[in-house]
Amino acid sequence: SKTRINYDMMKQEKKTLSYYRLRLEVYLKDYHPQLLGDETFIRERSEAAAKTYEEAFLQDNPIGIAESMAMEVLLRGLHFSPYQFIEQIIDNEFANEVPAELSGKLSLLLLEHKEVKDTFDRYHPGDDFDEKPEYDRLYTELTGTIATVMEEHDLLKDILR
């Protein structure tokens, strides 16, 4: 019956939506943990990815192509991770001061500081930022900013508690 078909389609749509939501949440946990609490962003991005997949599939694209298109929508603007960038700097430049198991926690703390945000804002890092010459300049400038912020705000003491 038509009701049964609609129910099956709704069930499939919910399953697809849940799949993209889960993929996004896992990605955010690893690369943008500061966004995990943004329910609106997660819902809207997951819905857009599911819709992209459905439309691509209905246009007779192979499943792999439809999945690729959906993942592009899901992760657009998220390929560069300030969190990972800061964590990389901490691991590379402050390994003697910051225990490896605390670099993620310190990265989250640093992301909240105005000086760190301002440094990122001057560079406007996007999805392809790691291929640009500004990448190395940001790395160098942010290393100095992190050193200053850690010292001025005694962040190591905060995370070692």
Side-chain angles (χ1 to χ4, degrees):
S1 81
K2 189 169 179 120
T3 304
R4 179 69 188 160
I5 292 170
N6 285 341
Y7 175 74
D8 287 344
M9 286 177 66
M10 285 173 33
K11 202 163 114 182
Q12 179 61 36
E13 186 175 307
K14 177 86 172 153
K15 183 177 176 184
T16 303
L17 183 60
S18 297
Y19 169 77
Y20 288 111
R21 180 183 182 91
L22 180 61
R23 292 283 305 261
L24 181 58
E25 287 174 343
V26 167
Y27 188 82
L28 293 178
K29 181 179 177 285
D30 291 340
Y31 298 101
H32 299 275
Q34 74 280 10
L35 294 177
L36 274 171
D38 190 341
E39 179 58 37
T40 302
F41 172 77
I42 293 170
R43 185 184 69 258
E44 289 175 355
R45 190 60 72 94
S46 300
E47 289 172 358
K51 184 176 182 190
T52 298
Y53 177 85
E54 180 183 12
E55 289 171 357
F57 185 76
L58 291 174
Q59 293 172 2
D60 292 326
N61 284 292
I63 290 174
I65 298 293
E67 173 69 13
S68 177
M69 293 168 70
M71 290 303 293
E72 174 139 346
V73 168
L74 190 69
L75 302 178
R76 185 174 298 132
L78 298 173
H79 294 289
F80 177 81
S81 167
Y83 169 78
Q84 281 292 116
F85 195 73
I86 291 171
E87 193 170 39
Q88 176 188 358
I89 290 172
I90 292 168
D91 290 344
N92 293 344
E93 310 301 331
F94 300 96
N96 293 335
E97 296 129 65
V98 180
E101 65 273 9
L102 296 177
S103 65
K105 187 175 180 181
L106 180 58
S107 297
L108 277 174
L109 281 174
L110 286 163
L111 271 174
E112 296 172 8
H113 278 270
K114 182 181 180 344
E115 299 92 329
V116 172
K117 288 178 184 177
D118 289 348
T119 304
F120 277 115
D121 287 348
R122 280 194 290 283
Y123 289 87
H124 308 288
D127 282 346
D128 61 348
F129 187 70
D130 60 341
E131 301 165 10
K132 295 188 175 183
E134 293 90 359
Y135 182 92
D136 290 334
R137 288 198 298 267
L138 174 59
Y139 186 98
T140 302
E141 186 176 340
L142 198 56
T143 299
T145 302
I146 288 170
T148 302
V149 168
M150 282 175 36
E151 187 175 320
E152 287 179 0
H153 298 280
D154 209 7
L155 291 183
L156 286 180
K157 185 176 77 176
D158 289 347
I159 64 167
L160 291 172
R161 285 185 196 162

